[in-house]
Amino acid sequence: MPHVRLAALSPVVAALFLSACMGAPSVPTVVASPPPSVIHAQLLDDVRILAADDMQGRDTGAPGGEMARNYIVGRLDSLGVVAPPMGRLQPWEMQGRTRAGPKTFNGVNIIGLIPGTRVTDRYIVVTAHYDHVGVNAEGQVFNGADDNASGVATMLALAAALKRQAPEHSVLIVALDGEERGLLGAKHFVEAPPVPLASIAMNLNFDMTARAETDGKLWVTGTYQNPAFRPILEALPANGAVALAFGKDTPQDTGEDNWVESSDHAAFYKAQVPFLYLGVNYHPDYHRPSDDFERITPSVFISATELSIASFRALDSGLDR
């Protein structure tokens, strides 16, 4: 091989030349991301499948809940999201609420792990509940497309994005069971977490992310309790017709307008784990049999999901600096 003066070469060419001399490949392997159309199609497919009639409203402990669980496990497996050391499934037995009174439920949380690159021993726990209220006495199926097939689909889209570009913090992807019966799966998770609670940097909870057309907002609840999070997210621009809005978490927000304890993030809040809740405002199909996939406007849901992923990236980058 002839002698080459590296000083005469540009830094990039010199690096490639040295790499070739050492027997290393000169061109790094680049994994191409799927086109947006494919990503968006999968997002909509996830909601459509989880909110189908054959899922029977995904009630905790019911056959439809098991079908939904099997689907989510399959999606995590296909994405290459590994299980934590404790395993993919976290079964539990707890007393929950029904219209007829208290009842013992057997539920199962689903957990995936995506290792971080910068803060490997600190975890962002991303949650979305996959259960809904099932079938009523008249045989009406409550499909829960927005509540909360949408949040699960958004979480799966985030998991796919994190497999394409790894997060800075380690991430636990958690599909929780039993939310509709009293936040049961979330309560069990914080009582028996797969990692020490002290190592959890925050909980980011997705519940109802599809129907932002009500007011054009994806609401962020929890910055009143965790004010350091707000400046991290305030700079994010709107995505299409959907923008972030902050609130529903102050002492002045009362009744249904206060969402601090309205979903699974409440279990983390009570365990003194920092949290944020991302979700849309109430709409006429909330907790009705009409909460079907066909009521979702795809472009609005896609914008809300992309904004949710951008929110995660900002938090992941901004925390523990």
Side-chain angles (χ1 to χ4, degrees), residues 34-93:
S37 59
V38 173
I39 296 171
H40 297 161
Q42 182 65 67
L43 176 73
L44 297 172
D45 277 350
D46 286 338
V47 176
R48 178 180 54 77
I49 291 168
L50 288 169
D53 285 344
D54 60 3
M55 293 284 182
Q56 302 173 335
R58 307 187 306 278
D59 198 1
T60 300
E66 183 179 4
M67 288 178 62
R69 180 163 61 253
N70 291 339
Y71 176 77
I72 296 165
V73 168
R75 287 282 288 115
L76 292 175
D77 288 346
S78 69
L79 289 171
V81 176
V82 300
M86 70 171 289
R88 175 74 80 200
L89 303 180
Q90 184 186 46
W92 48 262
E93 181 179 277

Side-chain angles (χ1 to χ4, degrees), residues 81-147:
V81 176
V82 300
M86 70 171 289
R88 175 74 80 200
L89 303 180
Q90 184 186 46
W92 48 262
E93 181 179 277
M94 298 181 71
Q95 191 173 75
R97 64 194 179 204
T98 73
R99 291 185 177 181
K103 173 186 172 181
T104 298
F105 287 91
N106 291 283
V108 183
N109 299 333
I110 308 162
I111 307 175
L113 171 64
I114 302 175
T117 59
R118 177 173 63 88
V119 194
T120 59
D121 59 347
R122 297 271 287 164
Y123 297 82
I124 297 177
V125 178
V126 180
T127 54
H129 74 90
Y130 69 92
D131 65 293
H132 196 49
V133 298
V135 183
N136 68 9
E138 291 75 41
Q140 293 176 302
V141 179
F142 287 66
N143 284 320
D146 195 18
D147 186 15

Side-chain angles (χ1 to χ4, degrees), residues 90 92 94 109 176-179 183-190:
Q90 184 186 46
W92 48 262
M94 298 181 71
N109 299 333
L176 292 164
D177 200 358
E179 190 269 354
L183 318 184
L184 304 185
K187 290 175 179 177
H188 180 77
F189 183 91
V190 299

Side-chain angles (χ1 to χ4, degrees), residues 158 161-162 164-167 308-318:
L158 172 61
L162 298 184
R164 293 191 295 271
Q165 180 183 341
S308 298
I309 294 172
S311 297
F312 173 90
R313 292 289 192 190
L315 291 163
D316 183 36
S317 176

